[in-house]
């Protein structure tokens, strides 16, 4: 079996159909935030808070909901694909067999998102798979040795949803080079700047900003949620910055390093880069709280611009409370994202997401040798 999705499939598992009422209750709220606000983190280690009114909602067209019948058809196809995974040389090719089972409005939304983007450069797909009642315990590691039919089906479905946007890939230095990664709280890593954190917030960042090979899009599929935990996004096009800060952030005055999730990543040829690039009306951003600093430690103007950027990203925050079966897809070149704090239980019921990354350029993917794992 290909180990880039997981290492093993255990027998059994199965999937019970969920009731329509339960399904409907899960899908009725598109975006939410706790009334008392959420705790976030600053790039200098200082804590800060968002209040509920400061968390914006998704724009029109950014939330697409599948019907129960559509979801059931898609999920049945994903389960059958999971049964075939042992014989698949490339899980992305197997995932492609699910494309004809996706709801038509989802395929159209993904195509439109790839061509036009969206107001916040993000897309939420709700009701894509039924309520996940047969999940195993949430793993206590980002590299679990075994998985189940349900988890495998969800991973293949996530890959299928990213295929209209490009080719899935990963890095060998990240989570053992798995094509679909597990995002779970891990004991002993509560305060790290990674998806394994929990009691420390996951600050603003793009995926793998230290390299030009970073993904163009990423997708998160929620297997288990946690009440009040928000995945927060902030699009570069909503930045409220003065001209001096924008000019500074557009100059190659910064260095970015890999976050703690990467093991032995190659950063031997680091050169100063800008934080903002591209057209003013739809800029691209490459940023990570704690992972970026001025190339010249004495460059106070560059440091001040970083501080102003962080505050501007806070003001543009969009909050999504992901529930089981929800999929969030974001433009990794035009948005930053993060997550507020929460207290894990470590009892097998903790928050559990799957993540997949996509290269939108087929030319770049082929130039890399069509590799699924870079590095």
């Amino acid at each position: 079996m290909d180990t880039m999705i997981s290492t093993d499939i255990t027998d059994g598992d199965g999937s019970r159909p969920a009731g329509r009422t339960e399904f409907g209750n899960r899908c009725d709220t598109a975006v939410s935030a706790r009334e008392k606000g959420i705790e976030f983190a600053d790039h200098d280690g200082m804590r800060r808070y968002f209040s509920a009114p400061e968390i914006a909602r998704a724009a029109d067209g950014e939330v697409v909901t599948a019907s129960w019948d559509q979801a059931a058809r898609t999920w049945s196809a994903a389960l059958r694909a999971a049964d075939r995974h042992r014989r698949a040389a490339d899980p992305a090719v197997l995932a492609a067999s699910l494309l004809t089972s996706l709801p038509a409005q989802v395929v159209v939304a993904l195509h439109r998102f790839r061509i036009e983007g969206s107001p916040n450069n993000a897309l939420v797909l709700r009701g894509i798979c039924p309520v996940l009642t047969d999940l195993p315990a949430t793993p206590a590691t980002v590299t679990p040795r075994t998985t189940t039919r349900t988890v495998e089906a969800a991973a293949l479905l996530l890959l299928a949803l990213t295929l209209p946007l490009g080719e899935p890939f990963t890095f060998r230095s990240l989570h053992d080079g798995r094509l679909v990664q597990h995002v779970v709280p891990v004991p002993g890593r509560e305060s790290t700047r990674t998806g394994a954190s929990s009691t420390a917030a996951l600050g603003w960042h793009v995926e793998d900003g230290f390299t030009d090979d970073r993904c163009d899009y990423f997708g998160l599929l929620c297997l288990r949620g946690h009440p009040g935990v928000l995945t927060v996004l902030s699009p570069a096009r909503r930045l409220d910055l003065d001209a001096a800060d924008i000019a500074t952030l557009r100059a190659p005055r910064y260095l970015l390093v890999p976050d703690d999730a990467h093991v032995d990543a190659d950063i031997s040829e680091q050169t100063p880069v800008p934080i903002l690039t591209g057209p003013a009306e739809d800029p691209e951003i490459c940023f990570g709280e704690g992972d970026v600093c001025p190339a010249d430690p004495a460059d106070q103007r560059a440091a001040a611009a970083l501080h102003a950027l962080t505050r501007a990203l806070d003001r543009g925050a969009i909050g999504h409370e992901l529930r089981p079966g929800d999929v969030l897809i974001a433009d990794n070149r035009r948005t930053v994202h993060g997550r507020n704090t929460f207290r894990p239980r470590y009892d097998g019921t903790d928050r559990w997401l799957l993540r997949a990354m996509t290269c939108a350029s087929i030319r770049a993917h082929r130039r890399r040798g069509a590799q699924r794992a870079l590095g």
Side-chain angles (χ1 to χ4, degrees), residues 205-274:
H205 67 285
V206 302
E207 297 295 341
D208 312 307
F210 70 97
T211 173
D212 285 339
D213 287 331
R214 63 187 176 278
C215 65
D216 298 299
Y217 301 97
F218 67 88
L220 297 172
L221 188 153
C222 180
L223 296 174
R224 280 198 178 99
H226 188 116
V229 176
L230 301 185
T231 298
V232 285
L233 302 170
S234 194
R237 61 168 42 154
R238 288 170 55 121
L239 287 173
D240 176 20
L241 289 168
D242 64 36
D245 286 328
I246 291 175
T248 301
L249 293 166
R250 283 183 171 274
R253 298 166 72 163
Y254 300 94
L255 295 177
L256 284 92
V257 298
D259 65 38
D260 297 337
H262 282 270
V263 178
D264 298 327
D266 183 10
I267 55 172
S268 57
E269 298 183 6
Q270 251 194 326
T271 57
V273 296

Side-chain angles (χ1 to χ4, degrees), residues 48-118:
R48 64 189 189 273
Y49 297 83
F50 294 144
S51 64
E54 293 172 331
I55 301 293
R57 298 176 66 87
D60 290 343
E62 287 188 337
V63 179
V64 178
T65 302
S67 71
W68 171 263
D69 290 339
Q70 291 171 326
R73 184 165 54 251
T74 300
W75 187 242
S76 293
L79 289 170
R80 291 194 298 272
D83 292 335
R84 300 194 301 273
H85 186 213
R86 283 194 178 94
R87 302 187 297 275
D90 184 347
V93 172
L94 179 57
S97 68
L98 301 179
L99 289 173
T100 56
S101 301
L102 296 179
Q105 71 269 32
V106 169
V107 175
V108 171
L110 289 167
H111 176 76
R112 184 181 297 117
F113 186 61
R114 177 170 65 92
I115 299 300
E116 303 173 359
S118 70

Side-chain angles (χ1 to χ4, degrees), residues 142-207:
V142 296
T143 53
R145 290 182 298 173
T146 61
T147 187
T148 64
R149 183 178 182 236
T150 295
V151 177
E152 202 71 19
L156 289 169
L157 180 54
L158 178 58
L159 288 177
L161 290 167
T162 66
L163 282 172
L165 303 174
E167 285 297 316
F169 79 102
T170 188
F171 297 92
R172 290 190 178 90
S173 60
L174 185 65
H175 293 200
D176 292 344
R178 300 183 185 207
L179 195 59
V180 175
Q181 298 117 38
H182 299 262
V183 181
V184 295
V186 176
R189 303 187 67 185
E190 291 86 352
S191 298
T192 60
R193 295 196 308 270
T194 71
S197 65
S198 51
T199 56
L202 186 59
W204 293 125
H205 67 285
V206 302
E207 297 295 341

Side-chain angles (χ1 to χ4, degrees), residues 293-352:
C293 64
D296 179 358
D299 190 346
Q300 296 183 8
R301 184 71 197 86
L306 281 181
H307 186 75
L309 172 64
T310 301
R311 297 307 184 211
L313 291 170
D314 290 354
R315 292 191 294 272
I318 310 293
H320 297 279
E321 184 175 333
L322 299 178
R323 301 178 182 184
D326 288 350
V327 176
L328 170 65
I329 294 176
D331 188 326
N332 193 51
R333 303 278 175 166
R334 294 178 173 85
T335 64
V336 295
H337 63 285
R339 189 217 65 239
N340 62 308
T341 62
F342 68 100
R343 189 161 297 281
R345 296 175 291 269
Y346 297 136
D347 62 355
T349 65
D350 279 319
R351 185 173 185 261
W352 185 3

